[in-house]
Amino acid sequence: MGSHRTGTPSISARQAGVFTAAQARDEGWTPDQIRHRLTRGGWQQIAGRGLAALDGPVGPWQLAWATHLTWPDVVPCRTLAGAMHGLPVHLEAPVDVYAPPGRRRASGIRVHRSPWTLDEPTTVRGLPCTSLRTTALDCLATLDWPRALDLYAWLSTRDILTRDLILDVIRSGTGRHGVPQLLRLARVVRTGAVSAAEDLFHQILRRGGLAGWAAGQKVFDDVGLIGVVDVLFRAERVVVEIDGRRAHSDARVFQQDRERQNRLLAAGYLVLRFTWWDLTQRADSVVDQIRRALSTRS
């Protein structure tokens, strides 16, 4: 029997707090009791058949259980799968799943027929979802452009997806939804850039005749990895960071950025920073500043 005293069916404890009306009936709730709790008693519909009694926001595991309890044969994908894998994505509503023919959209669940398949589906915490690489590619193809760029920066520095792999997928998926965005992404990051600002900066470096640099380089100190810097002149130990139009919109990111810069300076690197305005309004000055910095480090 279910625990009416605690307010949810006991099986919900094994399902991230989620259950169905059928499971509630199996544990002793009557249809009237279920209806009352949904309208006045604190239960809410999560997605599909999934119900829960939550005090805070609905998280990825509640949503994943809700899709599984609604249709056990569907596979969460896109941002829901991304959150399950720990990718830095925001959950979108409705949540997305891949489903066999015959499944149609349920409340809060959007159905898709075929993924950008790189690997077979996997399980995370016992629940099905698209593989990490498939999920990453799906998100890059479907997120809005700024978020796709930000996600690519995160993925590329962790060697989860590469530009070459994205190009291979594009060639095999001509005409599919998301191809134009993946092509745009591949063009922007072709020189190692992970944003439009970095791509422009690389063009400025080449036009200015500056050599000996590499983009997206890992830099270490005695403690370990400091981070991936935008551009590194390794011989001169000069780091150039580009503060794009979306930089520092998050206080946590701002703090991490400052901590990283302090470690770079302590490790003997000279750090130069330029903004989108610098790149678009005074590119010649940017080149001159870098050239002078390099000359002092030779």
Side-chain angles (χ1 to χ4, degrees), residues 136-143 148 151-152 155 161 166 181-182 185:
L137 189 68
D138 261 348
C139 289
L140 291 178
T142 58
L143 287 174
L151 178 59
Y152 179 80
L155 294 166
L161 278 185
I166 291 173
Q181 176 147 300
L182 292 176
L185 182 67

Side-chain angles (χ1 to χ4, degrees), residues 22-44:
Q23 290 175 330
R25 288 194 298 271
D26 289 343
E27 295 196 17
W29 271 269
T30 68
D32 284 343
Q33 288 172 327
I34 293 171
R35 191 178 307 109
H36 176 79
R37 287 185 176 273
L38 283 172
T39 56
R40 299 181 184 179
W43 290 1
Q44 59 177 300

Side-chain angles (χ1 to χ4, degrees), residues 253-266:
V253 173
F254 182 87
Q255 178 64 30
Q256 291 174 345
D257 207 35
R258 291 305 176 268
E259 292 174 1
R260 183 176 75 160
Q261 179 159 318
N262 289 342
R263 286 181 65 186
L264 287 168
L265 294 172

Side-chain angles (χ1 to χ4, degrees), residues 107-131:
S107 175
I109 303 175
R110 182 167 47 203
V111 172
H112 305 276
R113 297 301 174 210
S114 59
W116 284 90
T117 303
L118 287 172
D119 309 292
E120 291 298 313
T122 187
T123 58
V124 181
R125 295 193 193 179
L127 290 173
C129 65
T130 49
S131 72

